[in-house]
């Protein structure tokens, strides 16, 4: 697989973001609206609006990832990093042979010496897992080296998961929208802000801990950020177009869905009270989005234009 690997903590961080965002989206989708709409959502994933939207979104995300990897490979050729060996292979090293066998060393002799040297646990290795280290020396898997391809795959994967959850969360008029779920807003905001921070290298210590190679130039950072937001924009665009042309009733219902605009002095039933609560929740969650947008703008200004 061309030696592609993640750093020590990358998969753990990516899995944490995926789990949190998906769980928040699921919890929000389980909360019905105070008033049920007469229009029902598609009953099958093979409904034209759903199937075509899924296919086009997948194409957008795959193209984005392909463009990002190609850009990363171009960066590695333009700004070469420390090279590491690729693949998984047996490493033979420091073979000490006797004078007779050194003339024509057999394969059995070479293997015996390698096993002896690699698996021997010296007194200095006992405190650090000598046997395990010996096995790793024998197998010869090279250590992970930060590189731009890993950067792109890691960052794009986290961002795309957030974009997929955001675009495909229908919300009104069926269940709670994004702005009506505190955990969903926090998850989406955290994932997007984290990706921008990784690209701009706003916190170098975090990038070092995650073994991310810092993007080498201002242009590379700008292109990466534009690539991320272009991925979300086109995924959102194709989904809305599919709903508009292939499920017009749902489009009209979503556009004309009543907002939480009930006055406190005009409460008539429990649905009105819940609408008021959702209105207050929406206002508070909008503040979270504004703060996130401000933070992202500061990171871009500091990490791209002032670096």
């Amino acid at each position: 697989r061309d030696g592609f690997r993640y750093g020590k903590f990358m998969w753990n961080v990516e899995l944490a973001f995926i789990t949190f965002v998906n769980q928040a989206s699921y919890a929000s989708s389980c909360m019905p609206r105070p008033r049920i709409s007469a229009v029902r959502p598609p009953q099958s994933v093979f409904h034209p609006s759903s199937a075509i939207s899924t296919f086009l979104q997948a194409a957008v995300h795959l193209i984005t990832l392909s463009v990002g990897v190609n850009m990363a490979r171009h960066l590695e050729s333009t700004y070469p990093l420390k090279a590491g060996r690729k693949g998984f292979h047996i490493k033979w090293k420091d073979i000490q042979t006797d004078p007779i066998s050194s003339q024509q060393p057999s394969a059995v002799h070479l293997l015996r010496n390698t096993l002896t040297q690699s698996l021997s646990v010296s007194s200095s290795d006992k405190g650090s897992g000598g046997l395990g280290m010996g096995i790793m020396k024998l197998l010869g898997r090279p250590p992970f080296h930060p590189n731009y391809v890993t950067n792109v795959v890691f960052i794009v994967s986290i961002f795309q998961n957030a974009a997929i959850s955001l675009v495909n969360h229908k919300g009104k008029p069926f269940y709670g929208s994004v702005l009506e779920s505190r955990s969903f807003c926090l998850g989406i905001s955290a994932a997007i802000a984290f990706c921008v921070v990784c690209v701009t290298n706003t916190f170098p210590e975090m990038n070092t801990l995650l073994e991310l190679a810092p993007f080498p130039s201002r242009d590379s950072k700008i292109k990466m950020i534009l690539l991320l937001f272009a991925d979300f924009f086109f995924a959102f665009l194709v989904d809305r177009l599919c709903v508009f042309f292939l499920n017009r009733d749902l489009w009209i219902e979503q556009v004309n869905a009543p907002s939480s605009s009930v006055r406190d002095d005009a409460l008539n039933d429990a649905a009105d009270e819940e609408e008021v609560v959702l209105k207050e929740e929406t206002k508070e969650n909008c503040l979270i989005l504004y703060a996130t947008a401000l933070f992202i703008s500061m990171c871009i200004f500091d990490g791209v234009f002032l670096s």
Side-chain angles (χ1 to χ4, degrees), residues 151-284:
N151 280 19
V152 169
V153 175
F154 173 71
I155 295 171
V156 170
S157 297
I158 294 177
F159 187 90
Q160 285 185 345
N161 175 74
I164 291 171
S165 299
L166 185 58
V167 169
N168 293 284
H169 187 85
K170 300 305 180 184
K172 296 179 181 180
F174 306 124
Y175 45 79
S177 64
V178 176
L179 290 176
E180 293 171 346
S181 173
R182 176 67 56 84
S183 59
F184 200 9
C185 279
L186 288 175
I188 295 295
S189 300
I192 296 176
F194 176 81
C195 293
V196 173
V197 167
C198 289
V199 173
T200 58
N201 198 26
T202 304
F203 303 107
E205 296 80 6
M206 184 186 73
N207 282 26
T208 301
L209 179 64
L210 294 175
E211 299 181 273
L212 292 172
F215 284 90
S217 64
R218 175 183 300 175
D219 289 341
S220 63
K221 295 178 181 179
I222 294 176
K223 290 179 180 178
M224 187 63 194
I225 294 174
L226 291 178
L227 181 67
L228 294 177
F229 288 100
D231 175 78
F232 169 75
F233 172 77
F234 286 107
F236 179 80
L237 179 63
V238 297
D239 178 73
R240 293 294 89 196
L241 290 177
C242 287
V243 174
F244 179 79
F245 288 107
L246 302 176
N247 198 344
R248 186 62 62 88
D249 292 338
L250 176 58
W251 170 270
I252 294 174
E253 187 68 15
Q254 289 179 331
V255 172
N256 298 328
S259 59
S260 304
S261 57
V262 180
R263 301 192 313 272
D264 294 343
D265 57 352
L267 300 179
N268 296 319
D269 51 30
D272 291 337
E273 295 182 4
E274 189 171 351
E275 290 283 358
V276 172
V277 173
L278 291 177
K279 181 177 67 174
E280 296 299 325
E281 184 77 9
T282 300
K283 290 181 180 180
E284 295 177 1

